[in-house]
């Protein structure tokens, strides 16, 4: 990480809240002329059009990219802050906008290209006409076989296959609220989410390929149902898509009257057409669960009209999607990036969106570039973790393949300038523009990014606020941090925007506390200016107005661009009966950015053993999934604590990352720190690192 954290010596005196950082300013890169010549957004008046004096009406430009059943009367209603309402009075259907309306011009064009992981299986194209047929038939099945209607919730636990967007769009056609749970999450995690959302129906798949193996995926559904039942939610139908028709990749028992193979019932709905239901602009389109600072993931509830407008607008102007492009976003649809920038945004614009089933380096480091060459992909979208992985496993691979990207995205984590330059020079062959888009599950779409044909790129910086997004950095004393001061603070968005979530499903209070309490200027005000959105990310603002995102300031760990709550992992550890206390801290990882490390204190009288470590690892995998697997599980004699008994995660994070532990003399048990240090770092003194900003802040608010 040294390259992103090149700080000058002799740092200025700082408070905990305002950490002075002196980055080396990176040089600008300018968008290639060929890109600019064809770009969707080349008119610099966009800045003026989306300036504060034209807010909120500026967002009509995005909403007008869609086909409305009924136009809205009020662009933004602020009568119940911070529960903003967008395009009030409007009626719209997301499925119609992503499918039906393209038929006249593009029925024969690929909407989706599915690339199976085994190279022996050829890519499969699904045309807009075919997508229309499949979405309608599956919507008929959901309506008539499952009895689902608008406002009902459905949990979807599926891998990266075309049946996933078909399922989502079929739900949207009926106004059924979908809740997609990342396929890599465990059955338990899926069950908790199904219960929270109140889903009666679970849609899953028998299996899929990952790293050359067929994974039994349906087994997770059985566990999910058990967990949901324990939580008080009965799921009475499980629809199982099959990866290979007529074969069952799952060894899990098939429960009669509850489990149904989709391919066995779908023929009953052959050729059915289901009219898209005109939904209120404010009707929820989907839930997406994400980790926060408590043990329980929260269901981010996204609205139909505002969300779809925002992802269509940003896909057009920032992703630069034209209908003739072949667009490949390598994220998983089970995360917000996949919802907004594989499914809804690109399909609203009649793009061709590529879906890859498997691991980017399977069977070798050239796979991604072979896919790009074969499909003639020209827009590529991925995360710094994937870029670091591809760089490490095949530094010179891209040059061997004849593909040409005009545009590339990096999203999900801070990217080191050196990695950025490899992306630009080697992956992009110096021909592609890059956007580093900063945003979150809660936000629906991009918040900060350069406008690809208008702004120069700066490696490691996301860029300015998007059109119509007015970010600022606040310190802990409620004061704005000025541009160019070199001081880090909390990035906030001053205004509402159409993509922002409506609320946390079933928990209005938590929505207000989590995102608005910290910087709200006046609780009784109905003026949006008094309600800045707190993103829980640290950032610095350069004089040119570019934001550099430093990472989370809360208990969230960003593992390979995936958000995990330390409290969630701790709860999983506590399910092991031998464990008395658990603390989870982030550790810097060369490829994944951050990984969790687990500290455990045992119940009195118990001896540390490998068997307990194994149990803890297993519990984490079972309760959350393999993505949460810790680097190490360390059984310590005691946890460092304050005199009032608070567990000091900050001290453990410092030890795990070879950073200075700061003042520990006020702890109740300072001697334990040395014992733990020896366990973590060995007997010899270890050279201390300065550590990245998010780790310096980790645990300081406890
Ligand atoms: O810390 C920020 C980081 O990812 C977090 C949001 O994670 P999630 O809700 O899973 O959404 C990820 C994809 C939108 C943020 O709080 N993050 C996201 N994009 C960037 C980023 N950090 C630095 N640079 C980015 N471009």
């Amino acid at each position: 990480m040294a390259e992103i954290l090149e700080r000058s010596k002799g740092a200025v005196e700082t408070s905990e809240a305002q950490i002075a950082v002196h980055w080396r300013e990176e040089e600008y890169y300018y968008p290639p002329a060929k890109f600019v010549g064809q770009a969707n957004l080349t008119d610099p008046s966009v800045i003026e059009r989306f300036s504060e004096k034209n807010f909120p009406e500026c967002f009509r430009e995005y909403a007008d990219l869609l086909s409305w059943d009924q136009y809205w009367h009020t662009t933004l209603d602020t009568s119940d802050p911070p529960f903003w309402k967008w395009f009030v009075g409007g009626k719209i259907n997301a499925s119609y906008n992503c499918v039906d309306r393209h038929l006249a011009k593009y029925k024969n064009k690929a909407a989706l290209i599915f690339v199976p992981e085994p190279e022996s299986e050829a890519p499969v194209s699904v045309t807009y006409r075919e997508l229309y047929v499949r979405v309608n038939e599956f919507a008929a099945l959901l309506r008539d076989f499952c009895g689902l209607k608008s406002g009902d919730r459905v949990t979807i636990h599926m891998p990266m296959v075309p049946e996933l967007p078909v399922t989502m769009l079929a739900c949207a056609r009926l106004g059924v609220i979908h809740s997609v749970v990342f396929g890599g999450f465990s059955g338990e995690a899926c069950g908790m989410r199904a219960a929270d959302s109140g889903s009666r129906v679970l849609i899953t798949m028998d299996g899929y390929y990952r790293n050359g193996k067929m994974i039994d995926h349906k087994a997770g559904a059985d566990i999910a149902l058990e967990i949901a039942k324990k939580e008080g939610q009965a799921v009475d139908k499980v629809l199982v898509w099959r990866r290979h028709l007529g074969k069952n990749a799952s060894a899990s028992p098939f429960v009669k009257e509850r489990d149904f193979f989709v391919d066995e019932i779908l023929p009953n709905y052959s050729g059915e057409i289901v009219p898209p239901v005109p939904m209120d602009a404010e009707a929820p389109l989907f839930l997406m669960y994400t980790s926060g600072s408590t043990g329980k993931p929260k269901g981010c509830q996204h609205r139909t009209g505002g969300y779809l407008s925002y992802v269509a607008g940003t896909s057009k102007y920032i992703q630069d999607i034209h209908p003739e492009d072949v667009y490949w976003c390598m994220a998983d649809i089970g995360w917000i990036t996949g919802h907004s920038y594989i499914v809804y945004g690109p399909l609203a614009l009649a793009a061709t969106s590529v879906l890859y089933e498997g691991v980017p380096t399977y069977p070798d480091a050239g796979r991604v570039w072979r896919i790009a060459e074969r499909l003639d992909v020209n827009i590529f979208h991925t995360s710094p973790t994937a870029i670091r992985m591809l760089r490490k496993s095949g530094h010179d691979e891209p040059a061997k393949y004849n593909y040409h990207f005009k545009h590339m995205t990096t999203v999900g984590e801070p990217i080191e300038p050196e990695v950025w330059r490899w992306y630009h020079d080697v992956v992009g062959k110096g021909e592609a523009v890059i956007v580093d888009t900063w945003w979150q599950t809660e936000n629906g779409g991009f918040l900060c990014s350069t406008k690809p044909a208008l702004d120069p790129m700066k490696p490691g910086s996301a860029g300015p606020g998007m059109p119509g997004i007015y970010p600022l950095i606040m310190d802990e004393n409620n004061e704005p941090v000025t541009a160019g001061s070199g001081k880090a603070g909390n990035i906030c968005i001053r205004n509402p925007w159409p993509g922002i979530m409506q609320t946390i499903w079933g928990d209005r209070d938590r929505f207000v506390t989590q995102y608005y309490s910290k910087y709200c200027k006046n609780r009784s005000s109905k003026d949006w200016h008094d309600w800045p959105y707190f993103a829980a990310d640290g950032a610095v603002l350069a004089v040119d107005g570019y934001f550099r995102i430093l990472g989370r300031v809360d208990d969230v760990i960003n593992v390979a661009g995936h958000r995990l709550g330390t409290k969630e992992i701790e709860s999983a550890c506590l399910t092991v009966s031998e464990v008395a206390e658990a603390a989870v801290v982030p550790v810097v990882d060369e490829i994944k950015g951050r990984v969790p490390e687990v500290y455990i204190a045992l119940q009195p009288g118990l001896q540390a053993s490998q068997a307990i470590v194994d149990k803890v690892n297993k519990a984490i995998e079972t309760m959350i999934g393999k993505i949460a697997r810790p680097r190490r599980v360390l059984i310590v004699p005691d946890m460092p604590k304050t005199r009032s008994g608070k567990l000091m995660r900050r001290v453990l994070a410092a030890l795990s990352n070879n950073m200075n532990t700061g003042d520990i003399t006020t702890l109740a048990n300072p001697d334990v720190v040395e014992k733990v240090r020896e366990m973590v770092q060995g007997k010899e003194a270890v050279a201390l690192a300065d550590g990245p900003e998010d780790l310096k802040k980790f645990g300081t608010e406890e």
Side-chain angles (χ1 to χ4, degrees), residues 2-6 23-30 415-421 456-461 542 544 546 548:
E3 59 272 31
I4 42 165
L5 298 167
E6 235 177 284
W23 310 106
R24 191 188 84 195
E25 264 304 295
E26 295 291 331
E27 293 191 353
Y28 285 137
Y29 284 61
Y30 291 88
I415 186 165
E416 300 82 349
E418 196 184 314
V419 176
W420 190 100
R421 277 188 280 273
M457 303 159 252
K458 196 159 73 173
S461 290
D544 56 8
Y546 280 37
R548 184 167 196 155

Side-chain angles (χ1 to χ4, degrees), residues 311-357:
V311 297
T314 49
S315 294
K316 176 154 186 176
Y317 299 120
I318 305 301
Q319 293 300 101
D320 198 56
I321 293 178
H322 302 61
E324 52 275 18
D325 290 322
V326 181
Y327 167 86
W328 182 16
C329 172
M330 227 168 52
D332 193 290
I333 293 175
W335 303 104
I336 192 71
T337 302
H339 274 48
S340 300
Y341 297 112
I342 297 179
V343 181
Y344 285 112
L347 297 185
L349 298 178
T352 296
S353 190
V354 176
L355 250 92
Y356 174 52
E357 178 178 35

Side-chain angles (χ1 to χ4, degrees), residues 104-122:
K105 233 170 143 182
Y106 299 115
K107 67 172 179 239
N108 215 13
K109 171 182 151 31
L112 303 167
I113 304 179
F114 170 56
V115 183
E117 193 193 71
E119 281 189 289
S120 53
E121 280 189 38

Side-chain angles (χ1 to χ4, degrees), residues 337 412-414 436-441 537 549 552 558 563:
T337 302
E413 311 153 67
D436 178 345
T437 58
W438 168 72
W439 60 298
Q440 314 168 302
T441 305
D537 269 323
I549 308 297
R552 302 289 303 195
N558 194 336
R563 220 165 121 170

